[in-house]
Amino acid sequence: MLKFPPFKTIDNSLPLHWSSSFQFASKSLPLTAQISTFVSLTLRRRSFTTITAAMGDDSGMDAVQRRLMFDDECILVDENDNVLGHDTKYNCHLMEKIENDNLLHRAFSVFLFNSKYELLLQQRSETKVTFPLVWTNTCCSHPLYRESELIPENALGVRNAAQRKLLDELGIPAEDVPVDEFTTLGRMLYKAPSDGKWGEHEVDYLLFLVRDVAVNPNPDEVADIRYVNQEELKELLRKADAGEEGLKLSPWFRLVVDNFLFKWWDHVQKGTLNEAIDMKTIHKLI
């Protein structure tokens, strides 16, 4: 994936740093090399033009989120979670692509509990492209199409991705959330529009972890955090259902709450979480 630093342009020609590099190099290069260099730079310019044209009215998108949308390559899967290939995070979250091309990608949702068995929730940042400012579980993201996050054995690739994103979003060091401490309880398939343009269509791995950790949220990803016990979460659900305080929950979190969370939470408190594991079933909650 090409990465383009900020630049200025001259007369809609090559970006300044590309043009200057060509002019500098051309003084000492033979003609054939000059032509080759010029063609290479021109192709890079056209690639940039294609990308910016595809972005269209997304030019106002937060810079960090825009970079992630084009740099991150999500794992495309079928409804049985077989890997089909990869595509940009941008394409994977366009409802047009989801509906017309049936793009489905792999995801994970982390539920981190402290030693008092309180669940850590986060409020997604205002700059998130999908579902900004909604409350959700501890961390929700995607394994990327890279070797370390494609390892199928015991969902190790997904657990590696979860460890990476807990650091990215919440500032939790990898050593505080060892991959061997994650319990992968199951998978669900769901589809959820965020607005007219964006949405989710995921096979979501559900990961539980009990650890006391220090949290240092990344403001580009997280607006707020809070720990809740079961009764406090039920009160949040009541407020969300009643539309009080403008409180909203992510659709994937609500699906987990309505179908699995409280019975799994009881297993956490009893120390019997392994009894709840079911990795053979993909729960289709569409």
Side-chain angles (χ1 to χ4, degrees), residues 1-280:
M1 195 72 180
L2 290 173
K3 300 180 181 179
F4 300 97
F7 62 87
K8 298 179 180 179
T9 59
I10 299 177
D11 297 329
N12 293 320
S13 184
L14 292 175
L16 179 60
H17 63 285
W18 297 349
S19 178
S20 299
S21 296
F22 171 69
Q23 292 169 10
F24 176 79
S26 66
K27 294 178 181 179
S28 57
L29 292 176
L31 179 60
T32 54
Q34 291 182 42
I35 293 172
S36 176
T37 301
F38 178 76
V39 169
S40 175
L41 291 171
T42 301
L43 289 174
R44 289 180 65 187
R45 175 175 176 261
R46 288 178 178 175
S47 296
F48 173 81
T49 302
T50 299
I51 291 172
T52 52
M55 286 170 57
D57 61 359
D58 301 326
S59 56
M61 189 185 297
D62 174 76
V64 172
Q65 298 301 327
R66 182 169 63 248
R67 175 178 57 79
L68 295 174
M69 276 292 195
F70 286 99
D71 283 1
D72 285 359
E73 291 281 326
C74 294
I75 302 168
L76 297 179
V77 295
D78 63 18
E79 291 193 354
N80 295 312
D81 197 29
N82 298 308
V83 176
L84 300 178
H86 58 96
D87 205 341
T88 62
K89 183 179 176 182
Y90 185 98
N91 282 340
C92 287
H93 291 85
L94 281 174
M95 283 307 298
E96 180 181 3
K97 291 281 188 180
I98 291 171
E99 298 292 356
N100 294 341
D101 300 339
N102 197 34
L103 286 191
L104 175 66
H105 61 276
R106 189 174 286 171
F108 63 83
S109 291
V110 175
F111 294 75
L112 187 150
F113 300 83
N114 62 20
S115 57
K116 296 188 290 185
Y117 304 119
E118 296 170 323
L119 173 62
L120 178 60
L121 303 182
Q122 69 154 277
Q123 183 184 33
R124 291 163 64 86
S125 78
E126 186 177 12
T127 61
K128 297 289 280 188
V129 175
T130 58
F131 303 99
L133 294 178
V134 305
W135 283 91
T136 191
N137 49 286
T138 310
C139 179
C140 333
S141 191
H142 318 91
L144 301 181
Y145 194 80
R146 57 178 62 162
E147 184 176 0
S148 63
E149 298 184 9
L150 282 163
I151 302 170
E153 288 79 16
N154 299 315
L156 178 57
V158 173
R159 289 183 286 131
N160 284 337
Q163 185 187 64
R164 170 177 59 82
K165 287 303 292 183
L166 284 168
L167 175 61
D168 288 350
E169 294 191 2
L170 295 164
I172 303 173
E175 57 268 24
D176 289 352
V177 283
V179 292
D180 292 342
E181 295 293 320
F182 288 94
T183 300
T184 311
L185 285 171
R187 293 171 290 178
M188 68 177 187
L189 189 160
Y190 77 97
K191 183 190 295 184
S194 175
D195 54 26
K197 180 170 184 175
W198 305 104
E200 298 284 3
H201 191 207
E202 301 181 327
V203 173
D204 194 8
Y205 284 66
L206 307 175
L207 309 176
F208 273 40
L209 180 68
V210 181
R211 302 281 291 189
D212 287 321
V213 297
V215 181
N216 183 25
N218 175 0
D220 287 322
E221 299 285 344
V222 178
D224 199 1
I225 60 170
R226 69 173 73 171
Y227 279 96
V228 295
N229 59 32
Q230 290 197 26
E231 293 307 312
E232 290 168 336
L233 179 56
K234 290 175 182 177
E235 177 61 12
L236 286 179
L237 297 174
R238 185 195 68 77
K239 288 182 177 180
D241 289 343
E244 295 181 14
E245 302 176 9
L247 194 148
K248 296 181 180 180
L249 304 177
S250 73
W252 60 89
F253 180 48
R254 190 60 193 253
L255 285 171
V256 175
V257 169
D258 291 345
N259 290 276
F260 312 112
L261 180 58
F262 289 108
K263 60 185 177 184
W264 287 351
W265 202 330
D266 290 340
H267 278 293
V268 171
Q269 293 175 318
K270 294 175 184 176
T272 57
L273 192 57
N274 285 343
E275 296 178 11
I277 295 173
D278 176 12
M279 289 302 295
K280 294 181 179 180

